[in-house]
Amino acid sequence: MLAIFNKGLVNPPQELHSPASLSSSRKPKHPEEIFKEFLISQPSNAFSINFGNAAALAYVPPENPNSVSQRWFCGLHNIYCMFMGSLNNLSSLNKQYGLSKGSNEAMFVIEAYRTLRDRGPYPAHQVLRDLDGSFGFVLYDCKAGTIFAALDADEGVRLFWGIAADGSVVISDNLELIKASCAKSFAPFPAGCMFHSEQGLMSFEHPTREMKAMPRIDSEGVMCGANFKVDVQSRMRSMPRVGSEANWALSGSHAWA
């Protein structure tokens, strides 16, 4: 999977951007080039969608549709979600949110997001902690211009994120793709964490603690990106909550800079 979001939509941690990318022999690529090369390298059943110059999503169905760890793509109510992994308690979650028994994980994430956005405030970290299974997902609300991504704490699924040549954010489960696209400005997406385009990066496992960036050195001995860890010595002044009062949904339109 691949998701690219214009820098006007997302304000990622500053530490994700490495100055070493400027002097590296491998330069960061522009979003259009990254997206094109990804699609060329994939089989004919790859699916992609562009949202003007604001965002682009690409998804490749799993080779084994009966695998326990699945990939799903779903679009409902102008909200799009790419989900990897599986939820052991999906049936009970669907019942809780009023979804049909046949709803998949990506459909559930969209409905949970809509609940948080429209009928909150309710702590997003509590919703994510209720998910039993291995999961990673990226959600884009194209009408509100909002991005929401999360990765489970057990690291059964892996995600990576980085910075493209124009400052856009790139998210993928393909490490080699991220390396080739973002030069030195990339890092693993932190496990047990969620990222919201307005609220930023936070741990849903330890929601009262702040995140801190740890220097990350690659195999060439060059500092690149950063590993983000929970700062056990910190404590947030107030808990971020999700809902209209918390401005979960952003307004306005965006385009590539």
Side-chain angles (χ1 to χ4, degrees):
M1 59 152 279
L2 171 66
I4 305 177
F5 301 108
N6 173 266
K7 62 181 180 180
L9 282 173
V10 188
N11 184 26
Q14 181 61 37
E15 296 86 353
L16 191 58
H17 189 283
S18 172
S21 287
L22 299 176
S23 57
S24 173
S25 58
R26 178 183 293 174
K27 302 297 182 182
K29 298 177 181 178
H30 286 273
E32 297 84 354
E33 182 182 4
I34 298 171
F35 199 64
K36 181 179 179 180
E37 290 183 356
F38 176 81
L39 293 178
I40 291 175
S41 67
Q42 300 304 321
S44 59
N45 62 344
F47 173 81
S48 66
I49 183 170
N50 283 282
F51 303 89
N53 289 325
L57 304 176
Y59 161 81
V60 181
E63 294 181 3
N64 180 8
N66 297 317
S67 172
V68 175
S69 180
Q70 283 286 352
R71 293 177 186 168
W72 298 102
F73 179 91
C74 184
L76 294 168
H77 311 291
N78 291 312
I79 304 169
Y80 299 83
C81 178
M82 293 188 293
F83 183 101
M84 299 183 304
S86 60
L87 299 178
N88 301 322
N89 60 338
L90 178 62
S91 179
S92 61
L93 290 169
N94 283 338
K95 184 177 181 180
Q96 178 182 344
Y97 283 82
L99 297 174
S100 66
K101 293 182 179 180
S103 297
N104 61 42
E105 281 87 346
M107 293 177 184
F108 161 74
V109 169
I110 289 176
E111 188 59 35
Y113 164 81
R114 290 183 65 214
T115 299
L116 293 169
R117 184 193 66 182
D118 301 337
R119 299 192 290 275
Y122 188 78
H125 67 86
Q126 186 60 59
V127 174
L128 293 174
R129 289 175 68 177
D130 287 342
L131 306 187
D132 177 19
S134 297
F135 65 89
F137 67 80
V138 179
L139 177 149
Y140 177 49
D141 182 342
C142 67
K143 186 175 181 180
T146 305
I147 294 94
F148 183 31
L151 183 65
D152 77 274
D154 295 333
E155 298 187 270
V157 173
R158 299 193 71 190
L159 285 177
F160 304 89
W161 58 345
I163 307 298
D166 67 344
S168 296
V169 173
V170 183
I171 305 175
S172 178
D173 61 331
N174 188 323
L175 175 58
E176 295 307 314
L177 170 67
I178 290 289
K179 285 182 177 180
S181 303
C182 305
K184 300 298 182 179
S185 296
F186 76 94
F189 192 93
C193 291
M194 63 182 186
F195 177 81
H196 181 263
S197 49
E198 182 176 298
Q199 302 292 345
L201 180 67
M202 67 172 287
S203 167
F204 61 81
E205 288 289 308
H206 305 281
T208 62
R209 307 296 183 183
E210 295 181 352
M211 301 293 295
K212 65 178 179 180
M214 306 293 291
R216 191 170 67 88
I217 307 298
D218 68 7
S219 59
E220 299 175 350
V222 178
M223 185 176 295
C224 60
N227 288 321
F228 298 92
K229 303 291 186 181
V230 175
D231 185 352
V232 296
Q233 303 298 323
S234 67
R235 182 171 292 275
M236 292 186 180
R237 294 182 179 180
S238 61
M239 284 294 301
R241 299 182 73 85
V242 174
S244 57
E245 291 88 345
N247 293 320
W248 176 261
L250 303 179
S251 62
S253 59
H254 305 265
W256 297 119

